[in-house]
C-alpha cells in the first residue's frame, strides 16, 4: 500500500538559513499545499509539500518532535534527520490551530507505533529483551568502566552523543530566544503585505467607481446642455414666427379698417394668434421646469462625485499609513538582522 493523505492545508513554507541559523528563507513563492501522509508499508507519518516538481518538505514525524506556534499565524518544527527547521505561515489563526492539533495527534500516533514496534521486536527476540538494559539517561555510563580499546571507543561515542545533545540544545535555545523576534516580525510583515494587497484592490475598485461616476456625470451634463440649446432654439423660433404672424394680422386689420371693412373676423384671428402665443409661452415655462430638474440631477451627481473622491482620499490615507507601517517594520527587521 502507498501513502494515504490524512490532512491538508495551504501555507507559505520557510526553512531556517543554514548559515546563520537565525533567519528564515522562503521555500515557496506562494502559498502551497502542506499535507500529512501515512506510509502503511513503514508504519510512519510524514509531512510532505511539493512546489512545482520539487519536494520542499519531506519530514518524518517522530515522537520527540514539537510544533511550536511562534505567533498568531506562524508555527515551526525542527527535523534533525533533514538537519533543518521548517516554518509555516498561515492566512488565519484557525488554520494554524488545526495544523498544530493534527501534528500533535500524529506525533502521539508515531509514539504508539514505535512502542508497538519495540514490543513486537522484544517478543520476537526474547533473549535480546532480557539482555537489554533498562533505558535511562545514564544507560551508557556503566560501559565507561570497561578497560581496554572498547573503553576508548565507547567514550568517544558517549562524547559525540553529549556534543550532539549540547548542539541540539544550543540550536533549540537560539531558535526559541534569538529568532523569536525575527519570526514574529516576518509573520507580521506577511500579514501587512496581505492587508496592503486588499487595500490596493479596494483602491482600484474605488477608482473604477469614480471613473464610472465621472463618465455618467459627463453624460448628464452633455444631455442638459443639448436640451438647453435645443429648447432655446425652438422657443426663439416659435416666438419669432408668432410675432411675425401677429404683426401680419395687425397689418391686415389696419388695412381692412382703412378700407372700412368688417374687422370682426380679423379680431377673432388675432385673438387666436394671441392664444397660440400664450400656449407657446406656457410650453416655454414647462421646458424651463425640465431644465431646472436636469440641473438638479446634475448637481446631485456632482455631490456624489465629491463624496466618492472623499472616500478615495480616505482609502489612500489608510494605504499610506499601512505603507509607512510596512516601511518601519522592514527597517526594524533590517536593523535586527544587521545586529
Amino acid at each position: 500500500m502507498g501513502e494515504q493523505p490524512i490532512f491538508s492545508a495551504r501555507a507559505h513554507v520557510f526553512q531556517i538559513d543554514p548559515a546563520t541559523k537565525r533567519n528564515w528563507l522562503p521555500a515557496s513563492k506562494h502559498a502551497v499545499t502542506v499535507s500529512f501522509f501515512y506510509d502503511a508499508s513503514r508504519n510512519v507519518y510524514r509531512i510532505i509539500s511539493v512546489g512545482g516538481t520539487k519536494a520542499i518538505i519531506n519530514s518524518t514525524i517522530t515522537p520527540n518532535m514539537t510544533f511550536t506556534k511562534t505567533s498568531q499565524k506562524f508555527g515551526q518544527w525542527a527535523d534533525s534527520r533533514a538537519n533543518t527547521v521548517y516554518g509555516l505561515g498561515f492566512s488565519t489563526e484557525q488554520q494554524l490551530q488545526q495544523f498544530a492539533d493534527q501534528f500533535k495527534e500524529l506525533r502521539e500516533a508515531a509514539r504508539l507505533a514505535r512502542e508497538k514496534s519495540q514490543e513486537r521486536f522484544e517478543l520476537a527476540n526474547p533473549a535480546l529483551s532480557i539482555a537489554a538494559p533498562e533505558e535511562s539517561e545514564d544507560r551508557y555510563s556503566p560501559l565507561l568502566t570497561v578497560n581496554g580499546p572498547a573503553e576508548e571507543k565507547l567514550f568517544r561515542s558517549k562524547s559525540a552523543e553529549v556534543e550532539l545533545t549540547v548542539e541540539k540544545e544550543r540550536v533549540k535555545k537560539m531558535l526559541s530566544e534569538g529568532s523569536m523576534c525575527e519570526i514574529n516580525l516576518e509573520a507580521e510583515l506577511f500579514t501587512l503585505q496581505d492587508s496592503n494587497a486588499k487595500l490596493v484592490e479596494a483602491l482600484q475598485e474605488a477608482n473604477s467607481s469614480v471613473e464610472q461616476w465621472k463618465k455618467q456625470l459627463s453624460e448628464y451634463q452633455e444631455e442638459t446642455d443639448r436640451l438647453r440649446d435645443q429648447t432655446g432654439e425652438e422657443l426663439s423660433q416659435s416666438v419669432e414666427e408668432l410675432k411675425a404672424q401677429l404683426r401680419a394680422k395687425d397689418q391686415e386689420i389696419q388695412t381692412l379698417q382703412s378700407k372700412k371693412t368688417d374687422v370682426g373676423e380679423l379680431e377673432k384671428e388675432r385673438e387666436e394668434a394671441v392664444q397660440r402665443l400664450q400656449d407657446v409661452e406656457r410650453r416655454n415655462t414647462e421646458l424651463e421646469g425640465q431644465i431646472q430638474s436636469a440641473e438638479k440631477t446634475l448637481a446631485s451627481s456632482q455631490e456624489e462625485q465629491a463624496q466618492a473622491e472623499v472616500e478615495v482620499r480616505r482609502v489612500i490615507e489608510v494605504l499610506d499609513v499601512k505603507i509607512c507601517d510596512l516601511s518601519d517594520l522592514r527597517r526594524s527587521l533590517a536593523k535586527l538582522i544587521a545586529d
Side-chain angles (χ1 to χ4, degrees):
M1 294 180 61
E3 290 181 296
Q4 301 295 325
I6 299 174
F7 175 82
S8 298
R10 299 281 295 179
H12 290 262
V13 179
F14 300 87
Q15 288 188 16
I16 203 71
D17 188 349
T20 63
K21 300 294 185 180
R22 293 174 62 85
N23 302 325
W24 288 111
L25 298 177
S28 61
K29 295 182 180 179
H30 308 285
V32 296
T33 301
V34 182
S35 303
F36 291 92
F37 282 85
Y38 174 62
D39 188 348
S41 61
R42 296 191 300 164
N43 193 24
V44 296
Y45 297 91
R46 296 200 297 167
I47 303 174
I48 297 176
S49 179
V50 179
T53 59
K54 179 182 177 182
I56 57 180
I57 298 180
N58 187 2
S59 177
T60 300
I61 299 176
T62 61
N64 61 341
M65 280 186 177
T66 301
F67 183 81
T68 304
K69 294 188 292 184
T70 56
S71 70
Q72 294 180 345
K73 300 179 182 180
F74 196 90
Q76 66 181 50
W77 79 95
D79 189 338
S80 58
R81 295 183 181 181
N83 193 27
T84 189
V85 179
Y86 294 103
L88 297 180
F90 296 88
S91 59
T92 64
E93 298 181 33
Q94 182 180 5
Q95 292 178 354
L96 173 60
Q97 186 61 46
Q98 290 175 349
F99 189 92
D101 294 341
Q102 193 67 44
F103 191 102
K104 182 178 180 181
E105 179 180 344
L106 296 185
R107 184 189 64 182
E108 181 66 18
R111 184 186 66 80
L112 295 175
R114 174 178 290 184
E115 291 178 355
K116 290 180 180 180
S117 177
Q118 290 177 349
E119 290 175 0
R120 288 195 298 269
F121 180 76
E122 292 174 357
L123 292 174
N125 301 272
L128 294 176
S129 177
I130 294 173
E134 182 178 359
E135 291 187 357
S136 67
E137 295 182 355
D138 301 327
R139 60 184 181 274
Y140 295 106
S141 57
L143 299 178
L144 297 176
T145 62
V146 179
N147 296 324
E151 179 181 2
E152 182 181 357
K153 182 178 180 181
L154 291 172
F155 181 77
R156 287 199 304 268
S157 177
K158 180 63 177 179
S159 299
E161 182 181 355
V162 171
E163 291 177 0
L164 180 60
T165 302
V166 171
E167 180 65 17
K168 287 182 178 179
E169 291 297 327
R170 186 183 69 82
V171 172
K172 183 177 180 180
K173 183 178 180 181
M174 177 187 64
L175 291 174
S176 61
E177 296 179 358
S179 63
M180 185 66 69
C181 184
E182 288 91 337
I183 292 171
N184 292 335
L185 287 174
E186 290 179 0
E188 187 174 354
L189 177 62
F190 171 77
T191 303
L192 283 175
Q193 287 175 342
D194 184 61
S195 177
N196 285 339
K198 293 180 179 178
L199 284 174
V200 170
E201 183 179 357
L203 179 60
Q204 291 175 349
E205 293 179 357
N207 287 333
S208 177
S209 299
V210 169
E211 291 299 327
Q212 184 177 359
W213 289 334
K214 286 182 177 179
K215 182 179 179 181
Q216 187 176 4
L217 179 62
S218 177
E219 292 177 354
Y220 285 154
Q221 191 167 5
E222 290 178 359
E223 179 65 19
T224 302
D225 293 340
R226 187 189 63 80
L227 182 60
R228 183 186 292 111
D229 295 340
Q230 180 181 357
T231 303
E233 292 176 358
E234 291 179 353
L235 288 175
S236 298
Q237 184 177 359
S238 298
V239 170
E240 291 299 328
E241 290 177 355
L242 290 174
K243 286 182 177 180
Q245 292 179 6
L246 185 60
R247 285 194 298 270
K249 294 298 180 181
D250 288 339
Q251 186 65 35
E252 290 180 4
I253 291 173
Q254 291 176 3
T255 302
L256 291 174
Q257 284 179 346
S258 62
K259 294 180 179 181
K260 298 181 180 181
T261 60
D262 189 4
V263 296
E265 187 67 24
L266 293 175
E267 286 290 341
K268 183 178 179 181
E269 292 180 359
R270 184 178 182 281
E271 291 176 357
E272 291 177 353
V274 171
Q275 183 64 38
R276 287 198 297 271
L277 179 61
Q278 292 175 352
D279 292 339
V280 170
E281 290 177 348
R282 184 171 59 254
R283 174 60 178 167
N284 184 20
T285 302
E286 292 176 355
L287 290 175
E288 288 178 353
Q290 293 179 2
I291 292 175
Q292 291 176 358
S293 177
E295 290 176 347
K296 289 181 180 179
T297 302
L298 177 61
S300 177
S301 299
Q302 291 175 342
E303 183 179 356
E304 291 178 358
Q305 179 187 1
Q307 292 177 354
E309 290 176 351
V310 171
E311 181 65 19
V312 169
R313 286 196 295 272
R314 187 187 67 80
V315 173
I316 292 174
E317 291 175 357
V318 173
L319 182 58
D320 290 339
V321 172
K322 290 291 183 180
I323 292 174
C324 290
D325 293 342
L326 180 60
S327 300
D328 294 340
L329 182 59
R330 286 178 174 169
R331 287 195 294 272
S332 300
L333 180 58
K335 182 178 179 182
L336 186 57
I337 293 174
D339 296 339

